[in-house]
Amino acid sequence: MSSSTFLLLHLQLLYLGLSLPAITASDDGRFVYSGFSGGANLAMDGASTVTPGGLLELTNGTDQQNGHAFYPTPLRFVRSPGGSVLSFSTSFVFAILSVYTDLSAHGLAFVVAPSRDFSTALPGQFLGLANISSNGNGSNHFFAVELDTIQNKEFDDLNANHAGANVNGLRSEQSYYAGYYDDKDGSFRNLSLISREAMQVWVDYDDKDAQITVAMAPLKVARPARPLFTAIYNLTTVITDVAYVGFSSATGTINVRHCILGWSFAMNGLAAPAIDVAKLPKLPRMSPKPRSKTLEITLPVATAGFVLAVGIVGFVLLRRHSRYAELREDWEVEFGPHRFSYKDLHRATQGFKNKNLLGAGGFGRVYKGILPASKLEIAVKRVSHESKQGIKEFVAEVVSIGRIQHHNLVKLLGYCRRRRELFLVYEYMPNGSVDKYIHISSEEGTPILTWAQRWHIIKGIASCLVYLHEEWEKAIIHRDIKASNVLLDVDMNGRLGDFGLARLYDHDTDPQTTHVVGTIGYLAPELGHTSKATPLTDVFAFGMFVLEVACGQRPIITNQRSLDSSSSQLLLLVDWVLEQWSNGSLISAVDSRLEGNYNVSEASLALKLGLLCSHPFANARPSMRQVMHYLDGAMPLPEMTPTDLSLPLQQNRQLPSTKADGS
Ligand SMILES: Nc1ncnc2c1ncn2[C@@H]1O[C@H](COP(=O)(O)OP(=O)(O)OP(=O)(O)O)[C@@H](O)[C@H]1O
Ligand SMILES: *[C@@H]1O[C@H](CO)[C@@H](O)[C@H](O)[C@H]1NC(C)=O
Ligand SMILES: *[C@@H]1O[C@H](CO)[C@@H](O)[C@H](O)[C@H]1NC(C)=O
Ligand SMILES: *[C@@H]1O[C@H](CO)[C@@H](O)[C@H](O)[C@H]1NC(C)=O
Ligand SMILES: *[C@@H]1O[C@H](CO)[C@@H](O)[C@H](O)[C@H]1NC(C)=O
Ligand SMILES: *[C@@H]1O[C@H](CO)[C@@H](O)[C@H](O)[C@H]1NC(C)=O
């Protein structure tokens, strides 16, 4: 073989290797799945599965999971090298099945990406698409249409029920409330993403005018003439010549399944083929209770032994029932006074009406109520609990910590347990949480806190943590210190809330998985390695809180220049404060809305202390007792320079992945 034919052969192989995938998808990249049974052959990872009935479940009800499913071969999005991205069109039918009818987390997205590997992406608000450092980075080269059921302020989400078109990150280029414009009268109709109803979405990209069009409708309604929204974005800078199409989805701390029932796709100006609605798989029935696992496993196996299966199920249920009753008795004897009846809580909150909703967090919704007999104002937190193990210990613990009292702790008045729900009853804090007052994007009309108020709150929370860490019978770790967990009572004292709740998720976890409890931005770096909460991980979060209060900024600052695809960036508040300090003016990091009205030495102490507490090396952080001494002026802060604090940061200031994949 001459060297030139050899070269030619090589080139041909190279060419084949590159273009083969695009050819195997039909010429125009067209496909339609009306259900996924049989030879769907999707490339899946994480929690994704296709059920025997042909339903694609991207997540399976487990907490903090990602799930992805891609069309197995990549598609060619550019006709010739250097050309622009071709028009494409897709449509899919989805449903979100949360154990609750009024709460879910987090959502799913249709995605076009250069690779199927999203193993470094985070669950939760990152929807399995990116992580903190990669979010918004132009090198991600992904385009996504998200259906998001949680409002994440850091991504400027509209509400907790929206659709958005995203490029390279989680902040949408364009988004709108989930819903559609009725063809008959043109009025807008809201759709609830978490209604458990199947809905259809249409996404089109037109290369002539670089326009993205997104529409959605209930399954029985035809594609509405007026789209939900359109966005102008030239995807030629985003989508790679050859790219995968598929779905990404992620859960938070709620048992939810994100399902795709059908999907179609077409390239190059053709409309996505119609999905045959009659052939779509059935959604599992959700109410009144999710099917028990025992049923799910035994039924398919036991065609012959049906009676036996029923017997087993009956036995299990019976045992469960008696165990439950027994537990109830134990608790009643031991912790009687702290137990509320569901009836009282239901009445107090007027049946958990939305009008009484105070807010929703990672663990569940919080409702305001007034106890019928005592007229006492309460806040009721409604929490889902998935597993039965640990719940007994947890409740016992919750109740026993009900004994812990401190002036700066939101008092836990009691609990109530019902089916798969736990209700925690706290005293009501009329002034809400600190985050509402200190952030620029906060609701308009809330006054900002003066420096004196901020200082008072910081000292209050510090004294409460000294008490928990050192003065109670045994050291207690809070695990979820953050501005939204610091509430304000009538006298504007800071009170630490959500106390003990993080334990639930700790008990819940398999010791083999590295499941981190807490909130991204407040998690100490060592939690990434050990996932073991210590008093010093609380100190880290406290440091973040102090910086947040002093600077009026979130722990993760989002850079606003997001329209240019490559520049949207997340910056850690700590790094930003250090930067101000290195530039010679630490004090310029103080919240500008105070307009200079603050005590300079207190503010400078707060900033340095915040930095010291959130030091990446746990051993360099002070104890809460030392912190209290610094705040009281009983002890001077050690001499520090910005370099002392930033030296080891490069490799350590990476936030841990909260994926619970056991790896
Ligand atoms: N005792 C209370 N009194 C008054 N409002 C409360 C009380 N507890 C909570 N809230 C309100 O409910 C909102 C949601 O609280 P929740 O603790 O569930 O959420 P979070 O702190 O944002 O998240 P996480 O669940 O991760 O801690 C809070 O921001 C606060 O405004
Ligand atoms: C869900 O998927 C995860 C990841 O594959 C797996 O570890 C877990 O056991 C699954 N849970 C259920 C209920 O199937
Ligand atoms: C974040 O994602 C990027 C890109 O996928 C990856 O290179 C990086 O290692 C990830 N970072 C973390 C902390 O997982
Ligand atoms: C974007 O990601 C690339 C590759 O992962 C990395 O080299 C680059 O520094 C990142 N850019 C920003 C602004 O973070
Ligand atoms: C639809 O939902 C949005 C956001 O929650 C709300 O502002 C609007 O009033 C709702 N519209 C209708 C017609 O219910
Ligand atoms: C999109 O960008 C590509 C490359 O920059 C360009 O060739 C194409 O004309 C642009 N499309 C539109 C509609 O502007």
Side-chain angles (χ1 to χ4, degrees):
M1 199 194 304
S2 82
S3 70
S4 67
T5 45
F6 181 76
L7 190 71
L8 201 69
L9 193 69
H10 244 238
L11 279 174
Q12 249 166 10
L13 280 175
L14 206 67
Y15 177 75
L16 271 177
L18 279 175
S19 59
L20 200 67
I23 295 166
T24 36
S26 75
D27 276 355
D28 41 17
R30 238 153 79 98
F31 59 82
V32 53
Y33 293 108
S34 303
F36 296 88
S37 47
N41 197 23
L42 297 173
M44 295 185 284
D45 70 35
S48 277
T49 48
V50 172
T51 66
L55 183 65
L56 168 57
E57 289 186 352
L58 295 167
T59 61
N60 62 10
T62 308
D63 286 358
Q64 303 288 359
Q65 286 286 315
N66 288 335
H68 300 98
F70 287 95
Y71 188 71
T73 52
L75 305 177
R76 183 159 283 282
F77 275 83
V78 172
R79 198 175 288 125
S80 51
S84 52
V85 159
L86 299 170
S87 299
F88 60 87
S89 167
T90 191
S91 124
F92 58 93
V93 177
F94 77 96
I96 296 177
L97 309 176
S98 165
V99 285
Y100 299 110
T101 49
D102 58 351
L103 183 64
S104 188
H106 268 261
L108 66 111
F110 163 76
V111 59
V112 183
S115 151
R116 294 189 307 222
D117 180 9
F118 280 86
S119 55
T120 57
L122 292 175
Q125 65 267 43
F126 290 93
L127 299 181
L129 289 169
N131 60 40
I132 292 177
S133 53
S134 71
N135 184 50
N137 188 323
S139 67
N140 289 347
H141 290 290
F142 73 72
F143 165 69
V145 172
E146 63 170 35
L147 298 159
D148 191 350
T149 68
I150 293 277
Q151 179 171 24
N152 290 104
K153 296 193 178 124
E154 68 270 40
F155 303 140
D156 298 333
D157 284 352
L158 279 180
N159 68 356
N161 185 54
H162 61 273
N166 299 7
V167 170
N168 296 327
L170 278 302
R171 179 181 290 105
S172 302
E173 299 303 324
Q174 190 67 257
S175 63
Y176 205 69
Y177 310 118
Y180 66 105
Y181 293 93
D182 195 318
D183 280 350
K184 284 195 214 79
D185 55 6
S187 62
F188 184 73
R189 304 205 187 279
N190 281 329
L191 284 175
S192 165
L193 297 174
I194 64 170
S195 62
R196 301 174 177 176
E197 298 290 330
M199 287 171 250
Q200 190 162 7
V201 175
W202 294 265
V203 178
D204 293 274
Y205 176 69
D206 184 347
D207 69 337
K208 280 194 299 301
D209 43 11
Q211 177 166 289
I212 300 155
T213 306
V214 176
M216 66 185 293
L219 194 51
K220 43 185 195 309
V221 174
R223 179 175 185 161
R226 180 171 170 194
L228 184 60
F229 64 83
T230 60
I232 302 294
Y233 200 108
N234 191 338
L235 293 181
T236 299
T237 55
V238 179
I239 296 177
T240 47
D241 290 8
V242 171
Y244 289 90
V245 291
F247 298 92
S248 178
S249 174
T251 59
T253 45
I254 288 173
N255 175 337
V256 54
R257 280 177 287 171
H258 294 97
C259 304
I260 305 287
L261 294 81
W263 177 28
S264 71
F265 187 91
M267 193 80 107
N268 208 0
L270 297 168
I275 294 168
D276 187 347
V277 173
K279 285 197 192 137
L280 293 181
K282 289 223 163 31
L283 287 170
R285 288 210 316 150
M286 291 291 292
S287 52
K289 249 205 282 199
R291 269 220 285 173
S292 92
K293 270 206 193 80
T294 332
L295 265 174
E296 235 161 57
I297 297 161
T298 43
L299 274 188
V301 185
T303 17
F306 186 70
V307 177
L308 183 74
V310 169
I312 292 170
V313 169
F315 175 65
V316 168
L317 288 181
L318 221 118
R319 225 179 65 149
R320 231 215 195 139
H321 181 82
S322 67
R323 203 194 288 158
Y324 182 76
E326 197 177 296
L327 277 180
R328 181 173 274 223
E329 227 165 41
D330 280 355
W331 295 346
E332 224 110 63
V333 173
E334 220 172 319
F335 311 115
H338 297 289
R339 205 190 157 97
F340 283 84
S341 75
Y342 178 69
K343 208 168 110 200
D344 278 353
L345 297 186
H346 195 265
R347 235 196 270 162
T349 56
Q350 296 173 292
F352 297 99
K353 277 223 184 69
N354 266 349
K355 147 165 119 46
N356 289 1
L357 190 67
L358 289 169
F363 295 110
R365 297 192 158 191
V366 182
Y367 296 84
K368 182 184 174 181
I370 298 175
L371 284 175
S374 59
K375 303 285 171 247
L376 185 69
E377 286 186 310
I378 52 170
V380 183
K381 185 163 220 167
R382 194 174 187 174
V383 189
S384 75
H385 61 85
E386 315 304 353
S387 79
K388 300 107 243 145
Q389 318 150 352
I391 192 75
K392 179 185 170 182
E393 294 90 315
F394 174 68
V395 171
E397 197 166 308
V398 160
V399 174
S400 75
I401 62 187
R403 292 185 295 137
I404 303 177
Q405 286 183 24
H406 186 271
H407 182 58
N408 296 100
L409 205 53
V410 179
K411 200 168 167 205
L412 179 69
L413 301 171
Y415 74 99
C416 167
R417 198 189 152 202
R418 185 173 177 267
R419 283 205 208 123
R420 300 190 141 217
E421 285 175 319
L422 184 68
F423 300 87
L424 297 174
V425 183
Y426 296 95
E427 59 184 329
Y428 175 66
M429 295 288 120
N431 286 316
S433 50
V434 167
D435 62 328
K436 291 205 183 79
Y437 295 82
I438 53 174
H439 295 302
I440 298 167
S441 60
S442 296
E443 294 139 50
E444 269 159 41
T446 23
I448 66 158
L449 296 173
T450 64
W451 178 261
Q453 285 172 320
R454 295 182 201 217
W455 185 246
H456 181 65
I457 292 166
I458 291 171
K459 285 174 87 167
I461 298 305
S463 81
C464 175
L465 285 169
V466 173
Y467 176 78
L468 291 180
H469 287 178
E470 300 183 23
E471 291 171 1
W472 180 247
E473 293 158 10
K474 56 178 187 191
I476 289 178
I477 302 164
H478 184 283
R479 289 158 205 254
D480 202 11
I481 299 160
K482 57 178 173 174
S484 66
N485 274 342
V486 174
L487 296 142
L488 296 169
D489 65 14
V490 200
D491 305 319
M492 298 300 274
N493 293 307
R495 304 267 216 111
L496 197 50
D498 241 6
F499 174 53
L501 202 45
R503 293 287 298 173
L504 176 58
Y505 290 91
D506 223 35
H507 279 313
D508 244 15
T509 356
D510 183 336
Q512 285 171 349
T513 63
T514 48
H515 187 113
V516 179
V517 171
T519 302
I520 285 170
Y522 299 87
L523 293 174
E526 69 269 21
L527 283 172
H529 318 301
T530 64
S531 69
K532 184 163 165 20
T534 64
L536 289 175
T537 56
D538 267 0
V539 172
F540 181 93
F542 174 77
M544 283 294 179
F545 169 73
V546 171
L547 291 177
E548 195 174 354
V549 169
C551 306
Q553 307 249 30
R554 292 183 194 285
I556 301 171
I557 306 172
T558 43
N559 197 325
Q560 295 298 333
R561 298 169 295 138
S562 67
L563 278 173
D564 169 8
S565 67
S566 61
S567 64
S568 158
Q569 227 183 312
L570 294 169
L571 179 68
L572 295 176
L573 177 56
V574 183
D575 292 338
W576 180 76
V577 175
L578 280 171
E579 197 181 302
Q580 309 300 309
W581 194 2
S582 309
N583 294 344
S585 176
L586 175 63
I587 214 75
S588 68
V590 176
D591 191 347
S592 60
R593 284 167 306 160
L594 289 170
E595 295 170 332
N597 293 319
Y598 55 84
N599 178 320
V600 175
S601 63
E602 283 173 2
S604 145
L605 175 63
L607 292 169
K608 287 181 185 167
L609 187 60
L611 290 172
L612 186 63
C613 288
S614 46
H615 196 287
F617 291 159
N619 292 339
R621 294 173 211 148
S623 71
M624 280 317 297
R625 174 149 331 260
Q626 284 170 312
V627 168
M628 205 59 230
H629 289 327
Y630 296 142
L631 287 170
D632 285 340
M635 220 159 86
L637 261 187
E639 284 295 321
M640 304 180 275
T641 65
T643 33
D644 294 338
L645 294 160
S646 56
L647 193 81
L649 299 194
Q650 292 318 327
Q651 68 277 41
N652 282 286
R653 194 62 66 56
Q654 286 215 335
L655 287 136
S657 156
T658 49
K659 265 183 75 170
D661 58 4
S663 59

